Amino acid sequence: MTPVDFWFDFASTYSYPAVMRIEALAAEHNITVRWHAFLLGPIFKAQGWQDSPFNLFTAKGNYMWRDIERVCERYALPYFRPSRFPQNGILAARIACWYGDAKWLNRFVMAVFQANFVQDKNIADPEVVSQILSELDLDAEAIIAQAQSPESKAKLQAVNQQAVRQGIFGAPFFMVGQEPFWGQDNLALALQTAGQQ
Amino acid sequence: MTPVDFWFDFASTYSYPAVMRIEALAAEHNITVRWHAFLLGPIFKAQGWQDSPFNLFTAKGNYMWRDIERVCERYALPYFRPSRFPQNGILAARIACWYGDAKWLNRFVMAVFQANFVQDKNIADPEVVSQILSELDLDAEAIIAQAQSPESKAKLQAVNQQAVRQGIFGAPFFMVGQEPFWGQDNLALALQTAGQQ
């Protein structure tokens, strides 16, 4: 049984269904999920894109907005098209990265994704993030201060470089050992592969 | 029961498994497939790409080459990574476009895809295309001459404009009425949707 390394970006539409579904599906097969927040922005910039490809390429964007609605309906996930896209998920990513081993990590990540894709909140706003942490009975002030420290910023940058070295170019992305799986529609296949190894 | 409009590009790796599988799957549900050859090249050029995104973006290309191998294995399809990518599929596309209503169309398309992705032949070579047509007991010389006529070129251009108007930006692409489905991994869902309408 190999663990699944699960890479997601807080701004990424297709990461939302994967974030909401992965733990329940993995539990069915006793598979461990290792969560990795990262930032697609710098990866897109490195290939010359100053914005999400869904904004740069209209037809692709139009398709994605129809498709994500349909995907969420299929999995009975609440969904509201966010009024800002992509959102700035740096603060949330720094928290998820610095506290990558915390027990509350996946609950925090799910709550931020719901803030983005259900409640249409501004996840770049420290107030919004603070409220999410408080609702998880955590010390929001201390966590946000730590996330904004130089060592936290450096850690997220290092994780992003690790993503690039592993050939990760989009989200969600799953690694099962050396085997890469891109896209929320590959979640079941990634878990199946992990279960067989 | 709605027919499925199936859009493919002869150079497109992910079109290959869809081309080989669609008729058998559609037959199980009594669904009619309407085949539409088109060219991704001009669509990519219009968004500033002078080559396939799989060549322009290395990480994405590396992933695709691993994934297509895995997809073909899953479906027990023979596969050999072509030595040229993307191939020039204009001649084949003009034939498939001009003879879009011919009974032999899907057999021709499948044979060209096998030439590209199994036999590693140069599908831009009229000799290769001629041999495929001859093996289908067709008048290769007449068909190739017709495909190279101005009206045939104009027809393919018109079909490409139709693809763009419908929001098609990649291949394979399936339209079920107004409902769009992108990617070979959406084939089953597209057919299921067609069966329910």
Side-chain angles (χ1 to χ4, degrees):
Chain A
M1 207 86 88
T2 311
V4 172
D5 285 292
F6 170 40
W7 294 79
F8 60 92
D9 175 305
F10 282 100
S12 147
T13 48
Y14 284 118
S15 292
Y16 167 55
V19 158
M20 301 308 290
R21 298 174 67 233
I22 193 167
E23 287 291 4
L25 290 174
E28 285 176 23
H29 306 277
N30 275 319
I31 292 162
T32 304
V33 180
R34 297 190 294 216
W35 293 58
H36 305 271
F38 77 118
L39 299 175
L40 279 172
I43 293 175
F44 289 158
K45 280 210 178 89
Q47 59 190 46
W49 298 344
Q50 301 301 321
D51 195 353
S52 162
F54 296 130
N55 288 340
L56 294 173
F57 311 116
T58 312
K60 199 169 197 166
N62 290 341
Y63 176 78
M64 180 277 288
W65 290 116
R66 171 66 191 121
D67 191 42
I68 190 67
E69 185 181 286
R70 212 163 47 177
V71 167
C72 291
E73 197 182 313
R74 192 180 319 142
Y75 298 130
L77 291 171
Y79 166 75
F80 182 87
R81 179 173 168 165
S83 50
R84 316 162 194 75
F85 178 82
Q87 288 221 45
N88 177 341
I90 294 182
L91 175 58
R94 283 181 183 151
I95 294 173
C97 178
W98 188 261
Y99 295 97
D101 296 323
K103 278 206 167 167
W104 48 266
L105 175 76
N106 55 20
R107 281 176 295 142
F108 168 72
V109 175
M110 286 189 255
V112 177
F113 270 90
Q114 287 175 312
N116 188 352
F117 296 106
V118 184
Q119 296 143 12
D120 196 25
K121 288 185 181 167
N122 178 2
I123 63 166
D125 180 354
E127 280 298 313
V128 168
V129 174
S130 172
Q131 198 189 339
I132 289 169
L133 291 165
S134 300
E135 281 168 8
L136 293 169
D137 287 325
L138 299 165
D139 183 343
E141 204 176 330
I143 289 172
I144 290 174
Q146 178 57 47
Q148 287 169 334
S149 68
E151 62 266 30
S152 164
K153 295 180 184 184
K155 189 177 177 194
L156 182 57
Q157 282 169 354
V159 164
N160 244 59
Q161 284 157 7
Q162 191 192 341
V164 170
R165 277 197 307 275
Q166 293 192 31
I168 293 171
F169 56 87
F173 209 100
F174 314 96
M175 293 294 298
V176 180
Q178 297 302 308
E179 203 66 26
F181 297 90
W182 175 40
Q184 70 82 24
D185 37 12
N186 270 318
L187 169 57
L189 191 62
L191 291 172
Q192 187 192 321
T193 305
Q196 287 163 355
Q197 283 183 358
Chain B
M1 208 87 89
T2 311
V4 172
D5 285 292
F6 170 40
W7 294 80
F8 60 94
D9 175 304
F10 281 101
S12 147
T13 48
Y14 285 118
S15 292
Y16 167 56
V19 158
M20 301 308 290
R21 297 174 68 233
I22 194 168
E23 286 291 3
L25 290 174
E28 285 175 23
H29 305 278
N30 275 319
I31 291 162
T32 303
V33 180
R34 298 191 294 215
W35 294 57
H36 305 272
F38 77 118
L39 300 175
L40 279 172
I43 293 175
F44 289 159
K45 281 211 178 89
Q47 59 190 45
W49 299 343
Q50 302 299 319
D51 195 351
S52 161
F54 296 129
N55 289 338
L56 293 174
F57 310 116
T58 312
K60 198 168 196 165
N62 289 342
Y63 176 79
M64 181 277 289
W65 291 116
R66 171 68 191 120
D67 191 42
I68 190 69
E69 185 182 286
R70 212 163 46 177
V71 168
C72 290
E73 198 183 312
R74 193 180 317 144
Y75 298 131
L77 290 171
Y79 166 76
F80 183 87
R81 179 172 167 166
S83 49
R84 315 162 195 79
F85 178 80
Q87 288 220 46
N88 176 340
I90 294 182
L91 174 59
R94 282 181 184 153
I95 293 173
C97 179
W98 187 261
Y99 294 97
D101 296 324
K103 278 205 167 168
W104 47 265
L105 175 76
N106 54 21
R107 280 176 297 142
F108 168 72
V109 175
M110 284 190 256
V112 177
F113 270 90
Q114 286 175 311
N116 188 352
F117 294 105
V118 184
Q119 297 143 12
D120 197 25
K121 289 185 181 168
N122 178 2
I123 64 165
D125 180 354
E127 280 299 313
V128 169
V129 174
S130 172
Q131 200 189 338
I132 289 169
L133 291 165
S134 300
E135 281 167 7
L136 294 168
D137 287 325
L138 299 165
D139 184 343
E141 203 176 330
I143 288 172
I144 290 175
Q146 178 59 47
Q148 288 169 332
S149 68
E151 63 267 30
S152 164
K153 295 179 184 185
K155 190 178 175 193
L156 182 58
Q157 282 169 354
V159 164
N160 245 60
Q161 285 158 7
Q162 191 192 339
V164 170
R165 276 196 307 275
Q166 292 191 33
I168 293 171
F169 56 88
F173 209 100
F174 315 95
M175 294 291 302
V176 179
Q178 298 302 308
E179 203 67 23
F181 297 90
W182 176 40
Q184 71 82 25
D185 37 11
N186 270 317
L187 169 57
L189 191 62
L191 291 171
Q192 187 191 320
T193 305
Q196 286 163 353
Q197 283 185 355

